[in-house]
Amino acid sequence: QVQLVQSGAEVKKPGSSVKISCKASGGTFNTAGISWVRQAPGQGLEWMGRIIPIVGITKYAQNFQGRLTITADKSTTTAYMELSSLEPDDTAVYSCAKGVALDPWGQGTLVTVSS
Amino acid sequence: DIQMTQSPSSLSASVGDRVTITCRASQGIRNDLSWYQQKAGKAPKRLIYAASSLQSGVPSRFSGSGFGTEFTLTISSLQPEDFATYYCLQHNSYPWTFGQGTKVEIK
């Protein structure tokens, strides 16, 4: 059974960047695709983007164009999400999820952006 | 981008009630739609895929229907453990988009 384990909580200053990892174990990684979804406090789910590691194809939501980068390291079965030019409104829980099913999910990483 | 308009945003219902939640897509998405349930502090759980297929292990009181632009999630007899927030997700074209969510609360 695939398990996704994310890196820990982050506190960032406005204008800085954050990079979160998502390590997959126990199943397919290269072909399934990994999506990143965020959820601001008390808000809904927001799909950010996706990578299919085997071909290195990435797709991003328009809201994040230019400041979101999703990468993957096939050798370590780890996906990464880097968001730059952080603002307080980027404070959220960021989660990775596998495949079209978005199943399973990582445990979520809280990113707090505050001066 | 395809917009997913989900309604209602919240509802109050009693145990045993029949509940229906709707998602409308701004353009046709065939049946490339899933429904998720999210409880507080937990990751979302997929209930329905391909608009009407029940995810393995999900109780049969949950059902989905629709094709193209109009989709519904129905809970035939609401149970205490069903009080949660529900989201639709289209994966027909990028960017994938979620509906705004429907919070199901106890009446």
Side-chain angles (χ1 to χ4, degrees):
Chain A
Q1 182 69 303
V2 175
Q3 190 175 15
L4 302 179
V5 178
Q6 298 180 219
S7 50
E10 303 262 12
V11 179
K12 294 293 182 179
K13 299 285 189 189
S16 67
S17 299
V18 67
K19 189 171 185 177
I20 302 169
S21 66
C22 169
K23 179 165 177 60
S25 59
T28 59
F29 171 80
N30 288 338
T31 57
I34 297 287
S35 288
W36 288 90
V37 176
R38 79 175 183 180
Q39 189 167 33
Q43 302 300 308
L45 302 171
E46 183 176 20
W47 186 86
M48 300 176 68
R50 183 176 189 235
I51 187 166
I52 303 174
I54 195 168
V55 291
I57 290 176
T58 53
K59 298 290 185 181
Y60 299 120
Q62 193 78 2
N63 285 352
F64 303 99
Q65 288 285 359
R67 65 187 192 105
L68 174 63
T69 305
I70 297 174
T71 56
D73 183 336
K74 294 191 292 287
S75 67
T76 61
T77 62
T78 302
Y80 299 90
M81 187 283 297
E82 183 170 20
L83 189 63
S84 62
S85 302
L86 291 169
E87 302 174 358
D89 283 352
D90 292 315
T91 294
V93 173
Y94 292 77
S95 300
C96 57
K98 177 175 169 280
V100 176
L102 295 186
D103 178 61
W105 291 62
Q107 81 274 24
T109 298
L110 176 62
V111 175
T112 303
V113 183
S114 174
S115 54
Chain B
D1 296 4
I2 296 175
Q3 309 303 316
M4 300 301 296
T5 303
Q6 187 172 339
S7 61
S9 56
S10 65
L11 65 91
S12 295
S14 301
V15 172
D17 283 354
R18 181 181 183 88
V19 168
T20 299
I21 299 168
T22 298
C23 261
R24 178 178 293 114
S26 59
Q27 63 191 73
I29 59 169
R30 300 180 307 182
N31 66 338
D32 296 327
L33 181 119
S34 297
W35 289 96
Y36 293 83
Q37 177 194 65
Q38 187 181 33
K39 296 183 178 179
K42 300 291 188 181
K45 170 189 170 184
R46 191 169 74 163
L47 304 174
I48 301 287
Y49 65 96
S52 59
S53 296
L54 192 67
Q55 183 77 21
S56 175
V58 173
S60 59
R61 62 182 179 272
F62 291 94
S63 64
S65 65
F67 188 92
T69 61
E70 295 278 340
F71 302 88
T72 59
L73 172 70
T74 299
I75 310 172
S76 60
S77 178
L78 199 65
Q79 297 302 300
E81 60 267 31
D82 301 336
F83 291 95
T85 302
Y86 295 83
Y87 297 91
C88 62
L89 169 73
Q90 72 81 19
H91 57 87
N92 175 263
S93 63
Y94 292 111
W96 295 0
T97 41
F98 286 97
Q100 301 96 321
T102 296
K103 186 172 184 178
V104 177
E105 298 176 303
I106 301 172
K107 189 180 235 180

